[in-house]
Each structure stands twice: as structure tokens, then as C-alpha cells.
Amino acid sequence: MPVESAAASTSETPDQRRAAWMAAAQSGDRRAYEKLLADSVALIRAAARRQGVAPDHLDDVVQETLITVHRARHTYDPTRSYDAWLTAIANRRAIDALRSRGRRDSRELHDEFALDSHPDIDDASAATESQQRAQRLRAAIAELPPGQREAVEQLGLHERSLSEAAELTGRNTGALKVNLHRALKALRERFHGES
């Protein structure tokens, strides 16, 4: 009898061996199930590659396929090809992965320069930096001579027109222009070292 089983196992195809393991697994044989899953990985990878799944996403397809096999193992018919059943599941999971990646890629931005140049709005360091710059600017404006400070506040900060600022301050438009020019020059020198 052992001679016959040895002869049968050598003539058995890999598909038949996996089908036998699945039938045993359906009956509760844990070791057969573990062998089956381990032996199925290469088939799943091959099916996913044929569908066009990128190498860095193959493991995801393998995992999703094995989960599906586990959930649907009771539906397998041991009289049919295990490899065909598994390949059909792997193909579906591969297509799902490709669709998911396609949707994600259409929404994602892949421009590294844009990501580096525009910090996240919620980035605490960017907010802190902005607050510190604003404080330095307010301090520099406060140190300007009164005429220059008034010109910056009225024309720059409050964005008033020359005629509105002249009316509010009682100064003529020429004096406001000169004071604004001198104030901006002083601020540039302070922050950028420009003359």
C-alpha cells in the first residue's frame, strides 16, 4: 500500500496536490491549510503580475487574495481545479488593486517641489514662523520715526489711498509718499541688508 501512495503522489500534479490540501483544509486539517496557503503565494503573484500589478504592490494583492480565500474556502468544490479557482480570485483582487491605485493616483499630487514649497496649512512650525515674522515686522515699524510709521500704517497696513491718508493725517500726499518711501527703504535694509 505505501508503494501505491508513493506512486500516486509522484503522478499527482501540483494542482491536484493543492486541491487535496484544500479538501483536507475544508475538513479541518490545519497543516494541510498552512501548506496550501504557502504554496498558493507563487500562483497569486504570477496572476497579479499578468494583470499588470507593480512589483511594489504584489504583496498587497497576495494578502487580499489570501484573505478572500480564507473567507470563501467553504465555496471551493474539490472536484474542480484549485489553481483555476485561486487564479480567478487573484485576478479579481489584482484588478481591485489597480482600480484603487488609479483612483488614488488621479487625486494625489506627485510634485515634490510643490510639496516642499507649500507647507501644510496645519503645520505648527510654519504658523510659528509666520507669527515670528509678523512680530519682527511690527517691532520694526514701531521703531520708525513717527512720520514714516504713520505713512506705513495708513498706506500699507490699512491700505488707504493717498488722498484718504492725507485727509486723515493732515499731511499732503507728497509728504506721505516721501515718508512711505523712506520707511520701506529702512525696513528693507533692516531685514534684507538692501540699500
Side-chain angles (χ1 to χ4, degrees):
M1 193 91 163
V3 174
E4 284 180 339
S5 69
S9 66
T10 56
S11 66
E12 184 178 63
T13 66
D15 184 31
Q16 291 169 333
R17 185 181 65 242
R18 285 187 281 269
W21 284 340
M22 181 56 123
Q26 286 174 322
S27 299
D29 186 340
R30 182 177 171 170
R31 286 193 53 167
Y33 191 49
E34 289 172 359
K35 287 179 187 178
L36 173 71
L37 294 179
D39 205 46
S40 296
V41 171
L43 288 173
I44 297 167
R45 285 179 160 279
R49 276 194 295 272
R50 281 192 303 273
Q51 290 293 333
V53 174
D56 57 331
H57 292 283
L58 287 174
D59 289 339
D60 295 337
V61 173
V62 168
Q63 183 178 5
E64 289 300 319
T65 302
L66 291 176
I67 289 170
T68 303
V69 165
H70 181 72
R71 290 180 181 154
R73 68 186 182 276
H74 66 281
T75 66
Y76 172 69
D77 178 359
T79 63
R80 300 206 171 252
S81 167
Y82 173 80
D83 291 1
W85 182 76
L86 177 67
T87 301
I89 293 171
N91 286 338
R92 288 186 198 112
R93 294 300 77 85
I95 291 168
D96 290 347
L98 291 169
R99 286 179 181 154
S100 174
R101 183 173 173 111
R103 284 190 300 269
R104 186 174 51 252
D105 287 349
S106 69
R107 291 188 310 261
E108 288 183 358
L109 178 65
H110 295 285
D111 185 356
E112 290 179 26
F113 175 75
L115 294 174
D116 292 340
S117 300
H118 302 287
D120 191 359
I121 292 171
D122 298 330
D123 185 359
S125 63
T128 302
E129 236 178 84
S130 178
Q131 288 173 349
Q132 289 172 349
R133 281 194 306 267
Q135 286 174 341
R136 285 195 305 269
L137 181 59
R138 281 193 296 273
I141 291 170
E143 292 176 9
L144 290 171
Q148 292 178 14
R149 182 175 55 245
E150 189 175 50
V152 168
E153 288 171 352
Q154 295 299 320
L155 299 170
L157 299 178
H158 297 297
E159 298 179 354
R160 292 194 171 102
S161 69
L162 271 172
S163 58
E164 290 173 329
E167 189 176 318
L168 283 169
T169 61
R171 298 179 184 259
N172 69 35
T173 57
L176 283 170
K177 281 187 196 179
V178 169
N179 281 329
L180 180 64
H181 174 73
R182 289 179 181 164
L184 293 177
K185 182 178 178 184
L187 292 172
R188 269 194 304 273
E189 287 175 355
R190 179 171 179 157
F191 289 109
H192 303 294
E194 299 172 7
S195 48

